[in-house]
Structures are given as structure tokens and as C-alpha cells.
Amino acid sequence: MRLIIAEKPSLARAIAEGLTGSVRRDEGALYAGDTVITWCLGHLLEQAPPDAYDPAYKQWRLDHLPILPAQWKLTPRPKARGQLAVIRRLLKQAGEVVHAGDPDREGQLLVQEVIEHLGWKGPVSRLLISDLNRPAVQRALARIEDNARYQPLYRAAESRARADWLYGINLTRAWTLTGRQAGHDGVLSVGRVQTPVLGLVVRRDAEIRDFIPRPFFTLWVDLAVPHGQLRAWWQPGEQHPLDDQGRLLTREPAAALAERLPGAEGELTALESRDKRQAAPLPYSLSALQVDAARRFGLSAKAVLDICQRLYERHKLITYPRSDCRYLPQDHLSSARATLERACQADATLAQWLAGADFSLRSRAWNDKQVGAHHALAPTGKPAELSRLEKAEADVFRLIARNVLAQFYPPLVTREVKAEFMILGERFRARGQEILAPGWKPLFTTRDEAPPLPPLSEGERCRVEQTGVEDRETRPPEPFTDASLIKAMMNIARYVDEPAVRRTLRDSDGLGTEATRAGIIETLLQRGYLVRQGKTLRATRLGSALIASLPEAATRPERTALWEQRLAAIAEQGDDPTAFVAALIEDLRHLLSGADAERLRHSLASARGEETAPPGEATRRRRSTTSRRGGNAGTRRRPPRRRSST
């Protein structure tokens, strides 16, 4: 008997539909001839709690830390025992096992850890499915591989799970216990990824709070030129008070010049014109889709992930959604026209975009070298009756289809013009853009572009028609939204201060993964560290206090981003995970040494707006008081005992 173990029931049903012959269901499995398909229900197993290693760890104590398992253990999730029993029974009857987890790091771990936990010693094959429609499933069934090829991916996922356990269990216990000493009654959760993400928001909020607006002044002129009118802006020279961005800091020079300008004539002294060709945006990865959907439709990152899962599993309209790739396999190009015609024909908007596509074109999106275990999000080719979907589902599907359709549109061609005028011995600049060929642009926006400059020739004369001085202020950075926070997590190198570290971070590195970023934001909201204010995400007082109390290294993205690099090296290059875990434990010991009740007490009080002495000064005061009293002034109140929680 061949046993196929799918990641979830929807995938098991799709596999069964891809097999020939009749299918029957019985006791947690589907039977199709000599093939049986069963399934996990997400993760059936989880890392065992600390007290599984030593009963003493059930009580939270600082002197237990760090907790470092010598032999790692997994335990069934609360509602998983029934399905585990089904898989155990079927394994005893199987001659071959096929691993059919999702095509990513977590999917590799989820099924393989069950196979190993249940003691299977026979051969294991790997079935990779990214499209649940029957033809795609049948193609995947014809390309089953040896699971040994994916062992590095499994080791990386296993290392990630163990790292998260070590980091989360030890630091959460340390800061929760320290918090009790500081008077905080509750769990203070610290995570390898969630805490640096919270740190991003806390620091952005602090920049906004501490921002002091600075006034600056601009002077514009409306100029009459031989073939029309345009607006130009004064470029004050270094003899005037300027900031580091060349902005004028006092109004008087602009006001004085404005009085002299009306009716003045000048000359166009420099003219630069450049044509630009811009290819269509690539098809979506999940994170890129979450960013665009948040901006266009106000959808949270989790809402977009949930919608994509429904479009993939329930409606079978899109390919595997939890992808970090923005490229498509070259062998999909030959069937792209038929796929898109079937997917787009039932929707007026998509049909209109489809009619403008030129399928003789080939974009840079079709690139096997950029495709790993999974490819960009794309329609499967199943006819999409968008009127029968929820509005948000239809909106997201149109985005996914649009970005693939755009690969069959010509480039956007624009002409950028920069003009410099001399008037009364002062320089004025104007910029304009003209669309020469709209290409793919109409699929993405219907907004009118800024009007181009009129035809210009170097040396021609101009005359000032109107002028004005504008009083402006520098603005603080914008608070994070779902879109900008997901983008920050994707492009974390921008938030790294150390140049050497920044150079080592590739554009593809980031905090979290495509599958976890939305969940990280939701976790921070649920734990009371973040709050939504309209579309913005702001840190709560508790979230700010936690970040202030932690060692800075635990709140910044450098360490976690570099860890993701090391995990990628384990998955892609077969690096030894032992070195990764050893380095993590060394970091962990250093971070635990930074747990300080006084610092946390000060952080919590500051977050509540209370004035307290700095931590070092408070310590000196207590020592001085104790000395004057001739010893201990009393016994410290013992913190209340709490139930174990991670």
C-alpha cells in the first residue's frame, strides 16, 4: 500500500481527485485503489513544554534559566491524538510513504516530524503541489521525488522551531519573573521575531513623539514660456540659511525676492530630457500582495492571508499562496494564455485587461533560476465567477490576476524633463513627466498624471507671471500600518544601523517568513503590545515598556535577520545546524544576564507617565537608606506564584 500524508484535508481531497478510479472515505483517510491518502490538521506535534524535561521546570524560577534540552522531545497537540492514531495505524500497513506537505520550510517540517515521531523506517517520497486543480495535481503526481532531497529544508525548519522554543521559553520566563519583582502582574512574552518587530514600532512611535517640527520656506514662480506656462521653484544659494537638505530656514530672503520677481524676465539655461522604459511589476509574493492589498483596500495582513487560503483551498482559483517568490517557471509560459483566458473570461474588468494582452511578449518574470520550492501567486485557470465571491476575495483575486496579465503588456515609456531658469541672477527649477507609451500602467491606476512641461528649448526666454512664498514645516515619519510594517519586515536591512551587517543582508532577507508575518502582527495585537488606531499600528504603554526593559540587541532586527540567513544556508547549502544552535545559546546566555527588575520597574513607570529615578540612581538610594538604618530595612515581599505559561 502507498500512503500519502497531506498537510491538510483540502490537499488530501485534491490529491484523491487527481488519482484514477473511485475514491471512498473511511476513518480519517481516503482510499483510491492501492493508494491511501490521509492528512495532518496543521501541526499535529509541538515542542514539549519545559516540565517534560524536568518536572521542576513546571514552576517558573530564575535559577532554572537557561533551560537547554539535551534530547529534544515533541508532544501531540491537544486535539491531534485522534488523527495521529489514524496515521500510526496506516503506517503499519504501508509499504511506501509519500510526504505531501506544502512546498515550503514549514510544510516540510509539519509532515516529516510526524513520520519520524511515529517511527517509520521505510522509504519516503516527496510530492510537491502548489495548485489544487486536477490537471496540476496529476502533473505533480507524475513527478514524485525522493524526500531525501529535502532533508536540508527539514533540518532548517527543525532548527527554527528549536531556536524559537529556546528563545521564547527562556526570555519570556526571565522577563515575566523580573516583571513580578517590578510589580507587573502578567506574562511578558519575548520572541525571536515578534520582539524586534515590536521594537520597530516602538522606535517609530518615539521618533514621532519626540519630533520637533522645523519651519522652512519655498518660493515658486509661474512662468510664461513661448509654448505655454509652467511652475518653477527657487533654488537658494549657500549664502542663505539652509538645512542639510537645502531647505530655506528663514522667510525674509524668499519674501524679498518675491517682491522683485513679478514681470521679471529670464532665460532657460539648462534643459535635460531622458526617456525611461519601465517593465511591469512582477507577479506577487504573499508579502508584496499584503502590502498592495492593505494600501488599496485597507485589508490587514492576516485578512489577506486568510483570503488567499480560501482562494487556494476552497475556490481553487490561485496557486499556493504562502510564497516568497515573485517569478514564474518557464514551462508555465506556453500555457499562460489558455490559463488566463479561462480565469478572466467571467469578469468584465479582467476580460478588458485580457483583451489588451499581447501573448507574444515575454517578461523577466519567467525565470527558472529565481524559482525555488514555490513560485509567484498566479491564477490556476479555473473560471473565476467573481460575483459569487466575497468582495474582498474578488478584489484580491483581481490583483493577483492583474499582475500576471501585466507580464503580457509592453513597458511604460515616459519622458522626464528637467529645466533650469535664471531670473534676476537666481536659479529656478522645474520638472515634468510625459507618458509616451502607457504600456501596463492603465491596469494599475486610473489617476491622471501630473501635466507635462510645455515644449522647451534651451536659451528661450521666460517671464514671471505670478509668484508665492509658502510656509512649510518638516514632518515626522508616518506611523506604521499593516502595509508599511510588512514592507519593513521584508526589507529589514533598511532598519539596520551597523554598515557591515547591512551589507551582508540580501534584499530577500527579512523578519519572519511569508507564512508568519501576518500572524506576528496579530500576536502583538492580541498580547496588548500593539493597538490599531484606524489604519495605523501603534505601540501600547506595555509594549513600549517591554522594549525599554530589554537589552537593545533583543529588540533590534540584526540578530534575527542574520539567523534567517543561517537558516537559509542550512536549507539551501546543507550547513550544519549544530553551529547555529550553539551560537544561539551563547547569545541567549548574554541576553538573560540583562534581566533587571529595577530597569523594568523604571520602564513600566515611565510608560505610565510617572517620574522615577534612573535605575542606577535608585539602586544607590536604596543602598544609602539601608546603610543609614544599619542593615536590611525589611523583607522583600515575595511575588505571587503563577501558573506556568509560555
Side-chain angles (χ1 to χ4, degrees), residues 60-137:
W60 290 28
R61 294 170 56 95
L62 286 171
D63 57 6
H64 288 159
L65 306 180
I67 299 171
L68 305 172
Q71 189 73 34
W72 287 90
K73 299 179 182 180
L74 294 173
T75 186
R77 286 180 178 266
K79 296 182 179 180
R81 295 186 183 277
Q83 191 60 23
L84 274 173
V86 170
I87 299 173
R88 181 182 287 109
R89 172 176 57 81
L90 293 171
L91 282 171
K92 291 177 181 178
Q93 306 168 27
E96 174 194 357
V97 170
V98 179
H99 177 319
D102 281 349
D104 60 9
R105 192 168 74 188
E106 216 49 31
Q108 186 67 33
L109 173 71
L110 190 151
V111 174
Q112 188 165 336
E113 68 182 4
V114 169
I115 294 171
E116 296 192 357
H117 180 74
L118 296 178
W120 172 257
K121 303 298 183 184
V124 180
S125 302
R126 186 65 165 100
L127 174 61
L128 294 166
I129 294 176
S130 59
D131 180 340
L132 297 188
N133 286 283
R134 185 174 184 180
V137 172

Side-chain angles (χ1 to χ4, degrees), residues 224-428:
V225 292
H227 298 287
Q229 270 196 340
L230 57 85
R231 177 162 290 187
W233 301 85
W234 180 41
Q235 308 298 305
E238 294 182 357
Q239 70 272 24
H240 300 292
L242 307 175
D243 66 10
D244 57 0
Q245 297 186 39
R247 294 177 294 208
L248 185 66
L249 298 178
T250 58
R251 197 178 198 279
E252 289 74 15
L257 179 58
E259 290 183 1
R260 300 165 49 211
L261 281 168
E265 293 191 353
E267 180 183 353
L268 175 54
T269 55
L271 182 64
E272 179 184 338
S273 177
R274 183 176 61 162
D275 292 354
K276 291 181 61 178
R277 294 170 62 87
Q278 184 178 348
L282 289 166
Y284 284 118
S285 64
L286 175 60
S287 290
L289 176 63
Q290 287 169 322
V291 170
D292 272 9
R295 288 174 174 169
R296 274 183 178 265
F297 308 122
L299 295 171
S300 71
K302 184 178 185 301
V304 176
L305 175 58
D306 292 344
I307 288 167
C308 285
Q309 284 297 129
R310 295 197 297 272
L311 291 173
Y312 172 62
E313 293 180 2
R314 183 188 306 170
H315 304 297
K316 301 181 182 178
L317 291 175
I318 66 169
T319 57
Y320 179 71
R322 297 177 184 236
S323 172
D324 61 355
C325 179
R326 300 196 67 175
Y327 292 85
L328 294 166
Q330 294 179 18
D331 63 4
H332 285 206
L333 180 59
S334 60
S335 59
R337 179 171 191 159
T339 298
L340 290 168
E341 285 177 347
R342 289 194 302 269
C344 301
Q345 61 187 2
D347 180 72
T349 300
L350 291 176
Q352 181 182 350
W353 293 344
L354 177 68
D358 179 356
F359 289 96
S360 68
L361 299 176
R362 174 172 176 157
S363 79
R364 63 193 174 102
W366 312 95
N367 188 340
D368 286 345
K369 293 181 180 179
Q370 298 290 342
V371 175
H374 34 258
H375 56 70
L377 280 68
T380 60
K382 181 180 178 181
E385 297 182 43
L386 301 192
S387 61
R388 302 180 65 176
L389 300 181
E390 297 175 9
K391 181 182 183 301
E393 291 174 339
D395 288 340
V396 170
F397 179 78
R398 286 192 188 96
L399 289 182
I400 294 168
R402 178 201 65 181
N403 272 41
V404 178
L405 279 167
Q407 307 312 308
F408 300 101
Y409 274 71
L412 165 67
V413 183
T414 59
R415 175 168 295 156
E416 294 186 353
V417 178
K418 299 178 183 179
E420 185 169 294
F421 299 85
M422 289 296 294
I423 307 169
L424 300 181
E426 300 288 343
R427 288 185 302 127
F428 292 81

